[in-house]
Amino acid sequence: MLRVVVLGAAAGGGLPQWNCACTACRAARKAGQVVPQTQSSIAVSADGVRWVVVNASPDLRQQFLATPVLHPAGGLRGSPLQAVLLTNADVDHIAGLLSLRENHAFNLYATNRVLRVLDNNPVFNVLNRDYVRRLAFDLDQVQPVMDAEGGDTGVRVEPFVIPGKIALWLENPAADHFGSQPEDTIGLALGTAGSRQRLFYLPGCAALPDALKARLAPGDTLLFDGTTFTDDEMITSGMGHKTASRMGHLPMSGTGGAVALWAGAPLGRKLFIHINNSNPVLLPESPERAFVHAAGWGIAYDGMEFCVE
């Protein structure tokens, strides 16, 4: 059985975003209206003792403080953290690595492409390589997640390339698709050696081809990209000038949106995560929230816990 804790459910900037006064951000600043959310990350464990974090958000320190299972236990220094898995090189998924620089031993897993990005940015040298090993995923292979001592955490992961886009801070405006490469964005199928179902974690996804949908089996749990409700949401709200597709995300609604494309998939649980502050589903009484609930989707939130058997 895989134990899952949602450390953060918001997209980049969190909720409320520090410089935003949109409807959801204003509500999140008022007690009892909308619960604030930190930037997207999850933690998983096969035994409830050793934990693997997926994506290191800029809010990681705050997330560890808010999550008792990640508190130090036994001895003066230590942590249940055994490994970090990265799905891409977005700032909201790698900046938290800088908070893990206190010479704690763990393994860092990513694609070769993302590892090269980290290697080429000397600020990440604060992660002492005597303690933090950087390991490349074997794509499309189920593999054990190991701790820094070579022990098996019990967590199994299958990484696979999904439609996506190069991280914003790495875009090359003069290159095709801004310089995007296949390994810029991956999805993860997570489970344990004995689990019947798996958790599919896809916090960023630009399209949903049939081959991707076919990876999921009946009863699996899906945590999927919920950045925007409509493709032009940032533009119509006055909060930006890019569509969801330009940012490398599927919107929730519309004929080409996530709700329509996943309709009929016999999944055990469907949850949206990586939700932007512009998205009206953050408002509990909104028609958009009612729409996704009627379609069988839930909305992930900070501190949410569940198990995948």
Side-chain angles (χ1 to χ4, degrees), residues 74-296:
L76 180 63
R77 297 288 290 270
S79 171
L81 175 68
Q82 306 297 318
V84 175
L85 319 180
L86 301 178
T87 63
N88 60 23
D90 284 348
V91 167
D92 50 327
H93 289 160
I94 65 171
L97 293 173
L98 302 179
S99 295
L100 300 177
R101 62 187 184 274
E102 280 79 19
N103 288 342
H104 174 71
F106 65 93
N107 284 338
L108 175 61
Y109 289 84
T111 64
N112 280 304
R113 162 71 163 163
V114 171
L115 289 178
R116 286 195 299 271
V117 169
L118 298 180
D119 289 344
N120 290 333
N121 191 328
V123 71
F124 291 103
N125 290 336
V126 298
L127 293 176
N128 188 333
R129 291 176 188 253
D130 291 337
Y131 295 90
V132 180
R133 291 199 304 159
R134 301 183 185 187
L135 303 173
F137 281 128
D138 294 320
L139 295 174
D140 299 309
Q141 301 292 324
V142 178
Q143 55 217 261
V145 177
M146 310 299 287
D147 64 26
E149 304 301 321
D152 188 345
T153 65
V155 175
R156 298 291 180 268
V157 60
E158 181 182 1
F160 48 92
V161 171
I162 62 174
K165 186 186 72 63
I166 192 171
L168 175 64
W169 64 283
L170 295 171
E171 284 187 2
N172 178 0
D176 291 341
H177 305 293
F178 307 101
S180 298
Q181 298 181 20
E183 291 188 5
D184 279 320
T185 305
I186 60 171
L188 302 176
L190 297 153
T192 66
S195 56
R196 294 174 296 170
Q197 283 86 39
R198 294 192 291 175
L199 167 68
F200 281 76
Y201 188 57
L202 290 79
C205 189
L208 193 56
D210 290 340
L212 175 53
K213 292 174 65 175
R215 288 181 176 272
L216 282 75
D220 284 339
T221 292
L222 174 63
L223 271 170
F224 192 74
D225 185 349
T227 306
T228 68
F229 187 76
T230 60
D231 189 51
D232 62 352
E233 176 177 298
M234 297 292 290
I235 299 170
T236 59
S237 67
M239 297 172 65
H241 60 276
K242 296 178 182 177
T243 63
S245 55
R246 165 64 179 84
M247 296 186 293
H249 300 286
L250 270 180
M252 292 180 177
S253 65
T255 56
V259 169
L261 293 176
W262 282 108
L267 302 176
R269 185 187 288 110
K270 296 181 294 185
L271 297 165
F272 282 119
I273 197 168
H274 194 272
I275 302 169
N276 199 55
N277 60 323
S278 61
N279 195 328
V281 300
L282 292 168
L283 305 171
E285 305 303 321
S286 68
E288 291 84 1
R289 174 75 73 99
F291 169 80
V292 297
H293 280 174

Side-chain angles (χ1 to χ4, degrees), residues 54-75:
V54 185
N55 290 334
S57 96
D59 301 317
L60 195 63
R61 178 182 176 277
Q62 177 183 343
Q63 292 166 345
F64 269 57
L65 287 172
T67 309
V69 295
L70 296 179
H71 291 177

